[in-house]
Amino acid sequence: MERNHREEHYVARVGWLRAAVLGANDGIVSTASLIVGVAAASGRAEVLLAGAAGLAAGALSMAAGEYVSVSSQSDTEAADVARERAEIAADPAEELRALAGIYEDRGLPPDLARQVAEALHAKDPLAAHVRDELGIFGHNEAQPLVAAGASALTFAVGAALPLAAAALAPEAQIALWVTGLSLICLALLGAVGAKAGGASLPRAVARVTFWGAVAMAVTWAVGHFFGAVI
């Protein structure tokens, strides 16, 4: 009996996973660092104002940055596809030879490589060249709006966590509470990212918590120093 064979690969998630993890990580780290730095020199009102401004500005900045960056990638991919289309139209025999050469380099015998290239050229030569010559696949094709939306949303969610901690914590312990909660959230984010991407969980957790702790420590030191000076 014929069965449909369909596998779920982690690489199919890279289009949104990278943007989502980056957005959430930046939301937690940047907002927590901002709050901790301001808390070292100010009261709750200033902390909440700075945190809310950081959330709004950061989410929009992440969305704009991701959109511009991924749009540039998309433009480059589109230009390469257009160029490949023109080359196929201008010299299909040479493009067929080049495609067969790619398959030979991957280990196919010359005759079989030629047969595969001819079969793919007969069906959809552009798709074959885009996939095997340019290395552009459906799962890694640039999607600017998806990346921008994922970054903005996850940044806002990540930033809301330390902001909530700052609002609920005793004023004298805002920095301590925000730091502790943020490190816990970063560890959870690292675990979720590792699970979704099939990566090593201890390594993912360690790297996000380490750099988050460094960022908050440096920002606290800066806020404490300038608060004492000013």
Side-chain angles (χ1 to χ4, degrees), residues 14-24 62 66 146-148 150-152 154-155:
V14 296
W16 59 265
L17 181 60
R18 181 196 63 83
V21 171
L22 178 63
M62 285 293 295
E66 281 289 342
V146 172
S151 290
T154 53
F155 184 99

Side-chain angles (χ1 to χ4, degrees), residues 5-218:
H5 178 70
R6 185 176 183 179
E7 296 180 353
E8 180 74 18
H9 294 287
Y10 293 118
V11 72
R13 304 172 181 173
V14 296
W16 59 265
L17 181 60
R18 181 196 63 83
V21 171
L22 178 63
N25 184 80
D26 277 7
I28 296 171
V29 173
S30 63
T31 307
S33 298
L34 181 63
I35 289 173
V36 168
V38 175
S42 305
R44 188 189 304 275
E46 293 83 358
V47 167
L48 295 179
L49 178 61
L55 187 157
L60 293 174
S61 176
M62 285 293 295
E66 281 289 342
Y67 184 81
V68 170
S69 174
V70 181
S71 290
S72 297
Q73 177 187 341
S74 180
D75 292 343
T76 301
E77 291 177 354
D80 275 342
V81 171
R83 180 179 180 181
E84 197 63 36
R85 181 184 291 108
E87 290 176 350
I88 293 172
D91 194 348
E94 174 59 23
E95 291 301 302
L96 176 62
R97 186 201 62 77
L99 191 62
I102 291 173
Y103 300 142
E104 284 188 49
D105 292 340
R106 293 178 182 175
L108 291 182
D111 290 343
L112 181 56
R114 179 76 181 188
Q115 292 176 19
V116 172
E118 288 176 347
L120 293 176
H121 255 240
K123 181 179 180 181
D124 190 342
L126 181 61
H129 283 273
V130 167
R131 181 183 62 249
D132 294 322
E133 186 174 349
L134 301 182
I136 300 175
F137 298 84
H139 59 254
N140 64 7
E141 186 177 356
Q143 301 180 63
L145 289 176
V146 172
S151 290
L153 178 61
T154 53
F155 184 99
V157 172
L161 298 173
L163 189 57
L168 299 174
E171 186 167 340
Q173 299 178 342
I174 287 177
L176 181 62
W177 278 55
V178 169
T179 300
L181 175 65
S182 297
L183 290 177
I184 293 173
C185 291
L186 286 171
L188 292 174
L189 175 64
V192 170
K195 180 66 175 178
S200 167
L201 192 147
R203 182 184 302 174
V205 170
R207 66 190 175 202
V208 295
T209 52
F210 173 77
W211 289 111
V214 169
M216 284 181 275
V218 170

